[in-house]
């Protein structure tokens, strides 16, 4: 409940803090209606908080993997590895930042989170397509190293090329399922954020924002 320029804030014994009053201003308990409203607001906020937690963890994974990819690719100037690592690191940091915004029920955060996933999806699919069409086939490199492997009765080059095709195709499929699924998941949170912002008054959102920090 708003009083003057202040807001009710919860603690072990719920009190109201008036920002225009002195630090020693008297405290008053929340009413039963206010407590019920906060409980309903917390219920509406729960799926948003769950999505934000998922985004924070997911973003951390992307950032760590991207940083490791850069460390591996930079010494040999592997341009494709550097590009993939940079995208992973950038998307990971972006996802963590936007997940914090989502936790505060930012109306634009779900779309921004989905955009980051789609950027990563595009980068991974591009990498997979290049591996299937432009990049040197793994079988050619192995055949050069092994020389006359046909004498063993095994077509190493064909086997390696088949494994390479399966590898790149799997990368594309997994990206479509995971990054595409994550983008869809975040976009579906737009309705929950909109409902939360529409049904919960500003003072109650500020209380929950304070708790969530």
């Amino acid at each position: 409940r708003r009083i003057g320029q202040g807001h009710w804030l919860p603690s072990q014994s719920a009190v109201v803090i008036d920002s225009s009053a002195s630090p020693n201003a008297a405290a008053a308990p929340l009413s039963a209606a206010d407590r019920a409203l906060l409980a309903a607001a917390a219920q509406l906020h729960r799926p948003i908080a769950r999505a934000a937690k998922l985004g924070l963890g997911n973003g951390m994974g992307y950032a760590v993997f991207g940083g490791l990819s850069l460390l591996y690719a930079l010494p040999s100037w592997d341009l494709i590895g550097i590009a993939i690592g940079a995208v992973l690191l950038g998307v990971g940091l972006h996802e963590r930042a936007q997940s914090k915004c989502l936790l505060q029920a930012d109306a634009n955060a779900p779309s921004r989170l989905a955009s980051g996933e789609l950027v990563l999806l595009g980068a991974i699919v591009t990498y997979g397509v290049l591996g299937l069409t432009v990049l040197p086939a793994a079988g050619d490199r192995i055949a050069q190293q092994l020389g006359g492997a046909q004498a063993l009765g095994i077509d190493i080059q064909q086997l390696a090329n088949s494994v390479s095709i399966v590898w790149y195709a799997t990368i594309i499929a997994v990206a479509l399922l995971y990054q595409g699924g994550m983008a869809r998941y975040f976009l579906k949170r737009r309705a929950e954020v909109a409902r939360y912002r529409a049904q919960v008054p500003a003072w109650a959102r500020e209380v929950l924002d304070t708790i969530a920090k």
Side-chain angles (χ1 to χ4, degrees):
R1 174 184 300 173
R2 186 181 298 271
I3 297 184
Q5 300 297 320
H7 310 283
W8 289 102
L9 294 176
S11 65
Q12 290 182 343
S13 60
V15 297
V16 61
I17 304 298
D18 192 332
S19 60
S20 65
S22 66
N24 297 320
L30 287 168
S31 69
D34 289 335
R35 289 196 296 271
L37 192 152
L38 279 176
Q43 186 70 21
L44 288 172
H45 188 263
R46 190 166 292 117
I48 298 172
R50 185 165 52 246
K53 182 178 179 180
L54 175 61
L56 286 169
N58 204 47
M60 177 62 76
Y62 290 159
V64 170
F65 191 71
L68 293 175
S69 299
L70 287 173
L71 289 176
Y72 179 80
L74 281 171
S76 60
W77 283 104
D78 178 0
L79 297 181
I80 293 179
I82 291 172
I84 292 294
V87 171
L88 276 167
L89 179 59
V91 170
L93 295 176
H94 168 81
E95 187 153 316
R96 285 187 61 81
Q98 292 305 314
S99 293
K100 293 176 182 178
C101 293
L102 178 61
L103 190 60
Q104 306 299 316
D106 185 331
N108 296 317
S111 297
R112 291 172 182 159
L113 284 163
S115 296
E117 292 287 349
L118 292 176
V119 167
L120 182 55
L121 172 60
I124 295 174
V125 169
T126 299
Y127 169 69
V129 171
L130 288 175
L132 291 172
T133 58
V134 176
L135 298 179
D140 296 338
R141 297 193 300 270
I142 295 175
Q144 291 175 359
Q145 294 173 1
L146 296 180
Q150 286 82 358
L152 301 176
I154 303 174
D155 191 341
I156 296 295
Q157 183 174 2
Q158 182 178 356
L159 177 61
N161 285 340
S162 298
V163 171
S164 179
I165 290 172
V166 171
W167 167 251
Y168 286 116
T170 300
I171 288 176
I172 293 173
V174 170
L176 289 171
L177 290 173
Y178 187 77
Q179 272 69 46
M182 287 298 297
R184 184 171 180 269
Y185 172 80
F186 286 130
L187 287 175
K188 290 178 70 174
R189 305 285 78 77
R190 290 182 299 184
E192 294 171 349
V193 172
R195 182 165 57 251
Y196 173 76
R197 293 178 65 88
Q199 297 183 12
V200 178
W203 72 265
R205 294 203 304 269
E206 290 180 18
V207 170
L208 294 179
D209 288 348
T210 302
I211 295 172
K213 290 180 180 178

